[in-house]
Amino acid sequence: MSVDRDPRAVLESYYEHVDAGDTEALLELFADDIRYERPGQSDIEGIEELREFYERDRPLDDGTHEVDLMVVDDGHVAVRGRFSGVQSGDDVTFGFADHHEFDDGLIVNRWTYTDRDTV
């Protein structure tokens, strides 16, 4: 699969892939040494831990992301939006803010902030 490495295009496809549950396409957007931080939760380090998270540990299901704002600046992309889906069997809707750092067209660092305890 050919992936557009423009940071805006990468992030647009990220949300499409995560909503579709397409883990393989999703993982192509990240560097092998990805670091994913979520306040109050353990960091995810490396592509295999990220795979495990999306395939087994992610507490959100059957949802969609709606992006309200995306700001791209010098290898960094900030995104603000809303997620609607299922968490632990309950319907949920909440706001999120994600920050991504890029190197050579791949996401090397990712941070997610929400008002939920776990995502």
Side-chain angles (χ1 to χ4, degrees), residues 47-108:
I47 200 72
E48 289 309 314
E49 282 189 22
L50 190 65
R51 174 186 301 280
E52 187 174 306
F53 172 74
Y54 281 108
E55 289 181 348
R56 194 184 79 209
D57 298 335
R58 186 170 181 255
L60 303 172
D61 293 309
D62 300 323
T64 58
H65 292 81
E66 183 176 330
V67 173
D68 297 325
L69 179 68
M70 186 180 299
V71 178
V72 180
D73 183 42
D74 194 30
H76 295 265
V77 180
V79 179
R80 186 185 72 217
R82 286 181 308 284
F83 174 83
S84 296
V86 177
Q87 183 175 12
S88 302
D90 296 325
D91 290 338
V92 295
T93 299
F94 57 87
F96 69 87
D98 289 335
H99 182 96
H100 306 81
E101 182 180 5
F102 282 77
D103 185 31
D104 199 26
L106 295 171
I107 303 168
V108 294

Side-chain angles (χ1 to χ4, degrees), residues 32-36 42-50:
D32 287 343
D33 60 349
I34 177 65
R35 183 176 178 94
Y36 181 15
S42 298
D43 292 348
I44 295 169
E45 297 187 39
I47 200 72
E48 289 309 314
E49 282 189 22
L50 190 65

